[in-house]
Amino acid sequence: MTSEASSFHMPRSWLWVIAYFAALAAMVADANLDLLRDPWNWMLKALVLVLVIPFLISSHRRAVEKGPPSPALDMFNFQVMAGVGALVLVLAISFSVYRALPPGAPWLWPLGLATAAPLLFLIWATGRYLIRETDEYLRHLMTMSALIGLAAVLVLATVWGSLENFGLAPHMRPWLLVPAFAVAYGIGRAWLEERER
Amino acid sequence: MKNRLRVLRAEREWSQQQLADALGVSRQSVNAIETGKYDPSLPLAFRIADVFGLTIEEIFLRD
């Protein structure tokens, strides 16, 4: 192991990824807590859709900078883009429809499940990538990043849950942990890749 | 774990990408191993030794 001291420097391309997930998390929080009124909530949805473009470009640039990506990583990146795109669309559509439907309407069941489907797809894609990836270091990077994301989610859930038990924090919907995981995963991955330099 | 990968590669005038292609891994992997950020598994260490025509002990050194 080398003992070179390295200071952390966030690559610019990662800022787009974090900005995208932060906007996505804000959109999810708004949909959950009804924080913003028209037209601000629609502007937030539009921002998430617009941020998809630099998000896709920066992801592609990062892959090219590191040499030709492995076929498994190529497929995973494509699946993530498809999954994230589907998630944005499904969230935007389903919450608009949800507000138009009466409480307890039968259509709420497929609507709720449809919202979860892109996230389930992303979890499946991650598992599939770990199986297909033949490059052990890339597998190691993915595993470590996911562990950082998991650790962040466990800490957040534990601390928030404890505060909520004592009436010190408002109730948090459990699925908000998914965007929290994505942000922590992204930061963890950026940190791990920066250490390589 | 220390290693002589960068020196051995330089002696043969190989780029990281060329070595990565010979090993069937990414350039990122070669860089991580060279800089000591990642210790390869035993099968990969054997592949590295084969590519250089050396033994594992001649490439990887104890701390």
Side-chain angles (χ1 to χ4, degrees), chain A residues 13-186:
Chain A
S13 57
W14 277 102
L15 294 177
W16 285 115
V17 177
I18 290 168
Y20 174 76
F21 279 112
L24 184 65
M27 188 182 90
V28 168
D30 172 55
N32 191 43
L33 304 169
D34 215 4
L35 299 169
L36 298 172
R37 296 183 185 283
D38 289 340
W40 296 106
N41 55 359
W42 285 105
M43 286 173 77
L44 182 61
K45 284 172 186 146
L47 176 69
V48 173
L49 286 171
V50 169
L51 278 174
V52 167
I53 297 165
F55 172 77
L56 293 175
I57 293 170
S58 63
S59 299
H60 177 70
R61 275 194 191 144
R62 272 203 324 280
V64 169
E65 277 168 15
K66 294 177 193 313
S70 73
L73 190 58
D74 234 3
M75 173 58 81
F76 175 69
N77 285 338
F78 173 76
Q79 287 174 331
V80 169
M81 300 306 157
V84 169
L87 179 63
V88 173
L89 274 177
V90 169
L91 281 176
I93 294 167
S94 65
F95 280 105
S96 303
V97 175
Y98 165 69
R99 285 173 180 166
L101 287 175
W107 277 103
L108 289 176
W109 282 94
L111 200 64
L113 293 173
T115 310
L119 292 172
L120 297 176
F121 172 74
L122 287 173
I123 293 168
W124 173 83
T126 307
R128 187 84 189 122
Y129 168 72
L130 287 171
I131 292 167
R132 292 189 64 215
E133 182 57 79
T134 55
D135 189 314
E136 62 181 52
Y137 176 65
L138 295 181
R139 245 188 351 246
H140 166 80
L141 269 184
M142 171 65 83
T143 308
M144 292 304 293
S145 308
L147 282 175
I148 290 170
L150 178 64
V153 160
L154 289 175
V155 168
L156 178 66
T158 306
V159 173
W160 195 288
S162 300
L163 292 174
E164 204 180 310
N165 275 342
F166 291 104
L168 298 170
H171 177 62
M172 181 173 66
R173 299 277 173 97
W175 55 267
L176 282 171
L177 292 174
V178 177
F181 171 86
V183 171
Y185 167 89

Side-chain angles (χ1 to χ4, degrees), chain B residues 14-62:
Chain B
W14 291 346
S15 66
Q16 283 189 339
Q17 189 61 59
Q18 283 172 315
L19 178 57
D21 292 343
L23 293 169
V25 298
S26 63
R27 188 191 66 75
Q28 246 184 305
S29 302
V30 170
N31 185 56
I33 296 167
E34 273 190 5
T35 53
K37 297 287 193 307
Y38 177 72
D39 292 330
S41 67
L42 204 50
L44 181 53
F46 273 119
R47 288 218 302 278
I48 293 169
D50 289 344
V51 164
F52 286 109
L54 299 168
T55 61
I56 288 178
E57 294 89 337
E58 287 173 306
I59 301 172
F60 296 96
L61 316 165
R62 292 171 203 270

